[in-house]
Amino acid sequence: MNIDNYQFGLYEKAVPEGMEWPQLLEYAGEAGFSFVEISVDESDYRLSRMNWSMSEKKDFVKAVLNSGLKVPTMCLSGHRRYPIGSCYEDIRTAGMKLMFDAIDFASDTGIRIVQLAGYDAAYDEESTQQSQDNYLSNLEKSLRYAEKRGVTLAIENMGIIFMPSIERVMTYVKMFDSPYLQAYPDLGNSSAMGNDIVLDLASARGHIAAMHIKDTNPGVVRRIPFGKGTVDFQRASEAVKTAEFKGMIVIEMWADESTDTMEELKAAKNFVIENMF
């Protein structure tokens, strides 16, 4: 594959927490990445970004412009805490507020893609027909809101039964048939759920907004060092070729257990390039 057809980005949580954006972007650039994916997870710290003033958003945009890097994507995983299909009305309401706030944040700051974690129910709930119906209804409302603002929503396949594959994501993409709803495949999640990653990724051909790459084990989708899990990266390379994907690839890592983050980031990027491209 021609490496020039790809940009490699860094998941924000791969960088030690507490860095201000100018420092974080400089750090990612030094590690050899061309963009950063901002995280809006379930923590109060990152959810508070949705309450930033216009002045704070301008400071963020200024930091991005001064860095020479981009922040084109947002990982909106805060819906683990506030799923839009929950059986609890207050949780659904909070989830939809988070969704609209995230779309507005993206529109205000130039972020083009908001990646949606495919959760329909909260931790203490089971996925039911009602939660799935709620999810579908609220996904449509979210899409209509995003379309008016020119922001693309992209659903990630997860390590859960509700959204266990890229093919499952594509049922929603095809249902709405909108350029503003696409797939955001995670090959690590696909592998961990026992899918054939070549066939699974091929199901999204022509609808891949960006892609997550990480290593995983069956049933374990976080904090597995590259090369220590069960993802077959040669098959992952074949998957990317078969799906004819060219574009943005985010290398997903977590810094909270790292002792030498910079070297680990460089090694991870080199591992992905050497084993897939």
Side-chain angles (χ1 to χ4, degrees):
M1 287 185 286
N2 185 348
I3 197 73
D4 292 336
N5 289 327
Y6 302 90
Q7 280 196 86
F8 294 92
L10 187 63
Y11 184 49
E12 181 198 342
K13 290 163 78 172
V15 173
E17 191 169 314
M19 286 188 185
E20 297 295 330
W21 276 99
Q23 182 187 9
L24 190 157
L25 290 159
E26 181 180 359
Y27 195 88
E30 185 180 341
F33 294 87
S34 58
F35 71 94
V36 172
E37 179 166 88
I38 187 173
S39 168
V40 179
D41 63 14
E42 64 268 43
S43 68
D44 290 340
Y45 164 64
R46 289 193 169 92
L47 287 174
S48 69
R49 292 169 171 173
M50 299 298 92
N51 298 319
W52 277 0
S53 66
M54 192 56 69
S55 176
E56 288 172 306
K57 291 177 183 177
K58 287 179 180 178
D59 287 342
F60 169 73
V61 172
K62 183 178 179 181
V64 173
L65 292 174
N66 287 341
S67 72
L69 273 64
K70 306 293 184 184
V71 182
T73 62
M74 174 195 294
C75 179
L76 181 60
S77 56
H79 283 127
R80 283 200 293 263
R81 182 172 172 181
Y82 301 114
I84 61 174
S86 173
C87 67
Y88 303 110
E89 184 176 0
D90 59 334
I91 292 179
R92 290 199 309 275
T93 299
M96 289 304 290
K97 182 181 187 306
L98 174 58
M99 183 78 81
F100 295 152
D101 286 347
I103 293 168
D104 286 339
F105 184 99
S107 179
D108 290 342
T109 60
I111 292 171
R112 299 190 293 276
I113 299 167
V114 175
Q115 180 233 291
L116 306 181
Y119 291 99
D120 67 321
Y123 291 123
D124 61 344
E125 299 177 69
E126 291 185 7
S127 179
T128 64
Q129 187 60 54
Q130 185 60 58
S131 67
Q132 293 177 31
D133 290 346
N134 290 341
Y135 179 88
L136 179 61
S137 175
N138 282 330
L139 178 62
E140 180 173 16
K141 294 173 186 175
S142 303
L143 177 58
R144 301 305 169 227
Y145 195 84
E147 285 173 330
K148 289 190 292 184
R149 289 152 182 81
V151 174
T152 298
L153 304 181
I155 304 172
E156 183 183 36
N157 57 298
M158 310 303 296
I160 58 173
I161 295 300
F162 174 62
M163 203 70 72
S165 65
I166 302 161
E167 185 175 16
R168 170 68 170 167
V169 169
M170 286 304 299
T171 63
Y172 292 95
V173 174
K174 292 175 180 177
M175 190 181 303
F176 290 105
D177 193 25
S178 167
Y180 292 97
L181 183 65
Q182 301 295 333
Y184 198 128
D186 186 313
L187 292 185
N189 287 348
S190 180
S191 174
M193 294 299 285
N195 300 296
D196 180 321
I197 58 177
V198 175
L199 296 178
D200 203 23
L201 188 63
S203 70
R205 184 188 292 113
H207 293 281
I208 302 171
M211 184 184 300
H212 272 176
I213 298 290
K214 64 185 177 190
D215 210 345
T216 58
N217 283 322
V220 183
V221 298
R222 296 181 183 86
R223 297 176 176 83
I224 304 295
F226 282 94
K228 303 297 183 181
T230 57
V231 173
D232 185 335
F233 284 94
Q234 296 212 343
R235 288 284 286 169
S237 177
E238 183 183 345
V240 172
K241 290 178 186 176
T242 301
E244 300 178 348
F245 172 68
K246 302 172 182 66
M248 296 186 295
I249 293 176
V250 175
I251 294 179
E252 191 172 15
M253 300 171 63
W254 289 262
D256 47 10
E257 298 177 358
S258 174
T259 56
D260 192 347
T261 304
M262 179 61 72
E263 289 308 310
E264 290 179 8
L265 297 183
K266 291 178 180 178
K269 183 186 175 190
N270 289 337
F271 179 92
V272 170
I273 291 173
E274 289 171 5
N275 286 275
M276 289 185 63
F277 299 92

